[in-house]
Amino acid sequence: MTNTTSINLDYLAAKYAQTIIQKTKDKKASDIENTITKALGVLQEDGVYACFLYLLAREKENGAVVVDEMLNLLSSLPFGWQKPTNNSEILPFISEQVTKDLDRLLLAREVLEQMLIYARYGAKARDKGGSEASGASS
């Protein structure tokens, strides 16, 4: 990388985790938390590619939001990765771009894991937080 500007990966993880919670405010918080927890488990146990595959195959409704924000996060990393424009391009993108270089894969995995952890906490907070946290405007 020739870019000398530091990128705050924790900020990016938090930003995209918040977006997941905002985009799913009309969904049951426990369902979102469940989807995110399962995705986090697959990511930690089986890796980045398996996590995307799981979300696309098994968590269709809630998984689509999580996948979209995971892709937004990956696209914001300084690797020049262009976000796929349709679902049929996602898995080839992950295998050919993200998993190809070990250093980039490890960085992507770490920041995606942090994002999912933040999103899970956000879903838990929304579930416990009453009307404001469950999406009602004040």
Side-chain angles (χ1 to χ4, degrees):
M1 285 184 287
T2 58
N3 186 355
T4 57
T5 306
S6 295
I7 294 178
N8 185 339
L9 298 175
D10 192 63
Y11 165 76
L12 292 175
K15 173 184 171 182
Y16 292 105
Q18 288 173 1
T19 304
I20 290 171
I21 299 307
Q22 291 166 356
K23 285 184 173 180
T24 59
K25 65 183 175 195
D26 58 334
K27 310 270 192 238
K28 192 173 169 189
S30 60
D31 290 348
I32 302 304
E33 181 185 348
N34 191 30
T35 295
I36 293 167
T37 299
K38 288 179 180 178
L40 181 60
V42 173
L43 177 66
Q44 292 171 330
E45 293 294 319
D46 302 309
V48 173
Y49 185 86
C51 182
F52 276 91
L53 187 59
Y54 169 77
L55 286 167
L56 292 168
R58 302 289 306 273
E59 296 286 340
K60 301 219 187 316
E61 188 178 333
N62 295 330
V65 173
V66 177
V67 164
D68 194 47
E69 293 312 311
M70 289 172 70
L71 290 171
N72 286 337
L73 174 56
L74 291 175
S75 298
S76 70
L77 296 177
F79 303 136
W81 292 337
Q82 296 298 312
K83 181 180 172 184
T85 55
N86 63 55
N87 281 356
S88 66
E89 297 174 352
I90 293 172
L91 293 176
F93 165 77
I94 297 301
S95 63
E96 290 302 313
Q97 297 292 318
V98 180
T99 65
K100 203 169 193 176
D101 178 276
L102 183 59
D103 289 335
R104 290 180 178 190
L105 169 62
L106 294 174
L107 177 67
R109 182 177 177 155
E110 187 175 323
V111 73
L112 288 171
E113 181 178 1
Q114 194 65 45
M115 182 196 86
L116 291 173
I117 290 168
Y118 288 155
R120 185 176 61 181
Y121 289 147
K124 283 183 186 219
R126 192 179 83 191
D127 195 33
K128 304 256 187 274
S131 63
E132 183 179 322
S134 65
S137 11
S138 23

